[in-house]
Amino acid sequence: MRRSVRLTACSLALSLACAFNAGAADLHIFTLASGQGTYADSPTSWLDGGFGKLPGSSDADGSAAASGALDVQAGLRLDLGTHWSVWTHVIARAEDGVDASGSAGVTELWIEGSGDVAGGRLRARAGMLFLPTSRENVDVLWSSPYTISLSAINSWMAEEVRPTGVDLDYRYELAPGVQLRAGGTAIVGNDTAGTLLAWRGWSIGSRVSVRNEELPLPPLSTFSTSFPAQKNGTTPFGRDLDDRAGWSARIRVDAPRNFVAQWTRFDTRGDRLLYDGQYSWRTSFDLVGLGWQPVERLTLAAEHIRGKTGMGIAPADRVDAQFEATYTLASWRIRQFRFSTRYDWFETEERDFSAAESNDETGSALAVAIIFEATPAWSLAVELDDLEATRPSATGTLGTASLDGRVLLLWARYSGIFD
């Protein structure tokens, strides 16, 4: 699998060289820059090594506290004639109260080819990419036009479900305005997917992982007892650990009024063994997504995920858990204003019953956001998130299983496209 990743990188470089030599390249630059303020009344955020599920934390005395972040993203698309293109998505950021290592890096890098096949359109991508499932992240640079934070499902996708591999997508028009799409992905370099979900649980945020970034894990006693070889962090996507390819498959229908219905199946096929301080997790799930625009100003979206994750081999200590989450979103646009609300429900259920601590968790969250588009490029937003959750494994550190929290989010954002 490592050889296939090297070949992908070589193909990207060769295509770029050929394009420039031929003088046929057409470059497009997409930019997204955000300054975000956070005022949170919540346990210490998981991003700062705690159990909290929100992007901000209370002060040590328990009072609400403010923090800030700057985030600059750029996407470069190089069109190589009519059938080939190369895409690179990079991120640089500065954050308060964050223990993660990814202040800058690459989050997407792929080459794409497309053409007409059997009456339809076939697209092939090779490289680092997002799994094409989200009904929220439909704007440029995998961003959401509806809210500042993302649902629990897409927060996890942004953090940990980040495949490297080859993706095929075939589109066929069944009738005017009705399109059937089917696709599949061969996946490497995403063996740790499930680590955060099992040991930290669900979260609400908008932070996108970059390649080889190490994210913190909460202070679980199990790391010194049941899993002493596990390091204190996890690398969501980077080198392949077990040399076993995972896979994903999906089917989608697009219809008038921007109606979208999609089912996706995902399986890492991890061997559950330890590699240099990280386990290769066996994580699989089914994800159903729906989107609809019944009238021009109103957008409705929902997604539901159900799956399982695990590592370690019986009879030794191990992790086996089932997980499930749902969100519904409604967004109404009036002139330069967009009003959105989202409700999340999530759950993780312990299934191994080993000596390691319980992975049980249940919770819900409500987000209300207002976005003002001051100009086509500049927008301002305010959002309030209210989260309720319980996780028994937090009791040893916090003295309570409750992880309830509230956060007020503010941002100013610039978005531009340069051809």
Side-chain angles (χ1 to χ4, degrees):
M1 295 306 165
R2 294 186 182 93
R3 183 183 178 190
S4 67
V5 173
R6 289 197 297 269
L7 288 174
T8 297
C10 290
S11 298
L12 288 169
L14 182 61
S15 298
L16 286 169
C18 291
F20 282 118
N21 289 337
D26 188 11
L27 180 65
H28 309 272
I29 301 174
F30 302 81
T31 59
L32 198 62
S34 302
Q36 180 171 308
T38 301
Y39 188 69
D41 179 11
S42 176
T44 301
S45 172
W46 74 273
L47 284 166
D48 199 24
F51 285 93
K53 298 183 169 299
L54 295 171
S57 310
S58 300
D59 277 334
D61 63 2
S63 60
S67 60
L70 295 175
D71 183 288
V72 179
Q73 303 185 44
L76 286 77
R77 191 183 76 220
L78 191 64
D79 293 329
L80 313 174
T82 57
H83 297 288
W84 294 92
S85 62
V86 175
W87 171 257
T88 303
H89 178 183
V90 296
I91 298 175
R93 53 197 168 205
E95 306 162 289
D96 284 342
V98 171
D99 210 19
S101 64
S103 58
V106 178
T107 194
E108 288 183 277
L109 175 62
W110 45 254
I111 185 169
E112 175 183 287
S114 61
D116 296 330
V117 176
R121 188 75 174 175
L122 178 65
R123 184 201 70 196
R125 286 180 178 173
M128 298 182 295
L129 42 88
F130 287 100
L131 201 64
T133 59
S134 178
R135 303 282 21 104
E136 281 183 292
N137 300 75
V138 295
D139 255 2
V140 64
L141 300 172
W142 207 76
S143 61
S144 170
Y146 310 119
T147 54
I148 300 176
S149 69
L150 302 177
S151 65
I153 292 174
N154 287 307
S155 293
W156 181 51
M157 293 287 174
E159 295 157 358
E160 206 172 35
V161 183
R162 304 301 310 283
T164 298
V166 177
D167 181 84
L168 299 178
D169 184 90
Y170 183 72
R171 309 181 185 192
Y172 186 84
E173 188 171 356
L174 296 175
V178 180
Q179 188 178 79
L180 177 66
R181 297 174 59 174
T185 313
I187 299 166
V188 297
N190 200 198
D191 297 324
T192 62
T195 307
L196 288 174
L197 201 56
W199 278 334
R200 177 213 62 190
W202 297 96
S203 71
I204 299 293
S206 59
R207 196 177 190 279
V208 177
S209 299
V210 298
R211 181 175 172 81
N212 290 326
E213 175 180 17
E214 186 167 300
L215 298 177
L217 293 171
L220 297 171
S221 60
T222 193
F223 295 150
S224 60
T225 56
S226 301
F227 307 107
Q230 168 69 43
K231 62 182 182 179
N232 293 327
T234 177
T235 302
F237 73 113
R239 72 180 183 90
D240 196 76
L241 298 180
D242 60 9
D243 288 327
R244 295 174 62 175
W247 63 275
S248 178
R250 61 188 181 273
I251 188 166
R252 168 174 165 167
V253 175
D254 292 75
R257 296 189 182 275
N258 289 324
F259 177 83
V260 177
Q262 178 169 309
W263 165 82
T264 302
R265 175 69 179 176
F266 176 92
D267 192 339
T268 63
R269 296 184 64 248
D271 66 7
R272 302 173 65 105
L273 300 180
L274 181 68
Y275 295 87
D276 299 325
Q278 290 194 105
Y279 284 89
S280 178
W281 291 68
R282 182 67 186 264
T283 300
S284 61
F285 60 76
D286 292 283
L287 174 62
V288 177
L290 296 171
W292 187 35
Q293 204 168 357
V295 296
E296 184 178 358
R297 293 179 178 179
L298 177 63
T299 300
L300 304 175
E303 292 183 68
H304 176 77
I305 192 171
R306 181 178 175 83
K308 57 184 179 180
T309 188
M311 47 69 71
I313 305 295
D317 287 343
R318 62 202 181 279
V319 172
D320 280 296
Q322 291 184 348
F323 58 86
E324 191 170 3
T326 300
Y327 80 82
T328 57
L329 180 147
S331 182
W332 183 265
R333 184 185 178 97
I334 303 176
R335 298 184 180 88
Q336 293 172 275
F337 290 89
R338 179 180 289 278
F339 303 88
S340 302
T341 184
R342 185 190 65 240
Y343 176 78
D344 284 87
W345 170 86
F346 49 84
E347 180 181 70
T348 307
E349 182 181 355
E350 171 84 11
R351 301 301 297 170
D352 56 78
F353 309 110
S354 67
E357 61 245 293
S358 170
N359 300 297
D360 285 345
E361 174 178 279
T362 185
S364 62
L366 179 66
V368 179
I370 303 173
I371 299 177
F372 171 62
E373 295 183 0
T375 71
W378 285 95
S379 58
L380 306 172
V382 57
E383 176 178 319
L384 179 64
D385 290 2
D386 190 343
L387 179 143
E388 296 181 353
T390 57
R391 188 174 182 87
S393 62
T395 304
T397 300
L398 301 180
T400 176
S402 174
L403 298 176
D404 295 358
R406 285 148 295 282
V407 63
L408 179 67
L409 302 171
L410 305 167
W411 62 232
R413 170 172 286 183
Y414 171 83
S415 177
I417 301 175
F418 305 93
D419 297 315

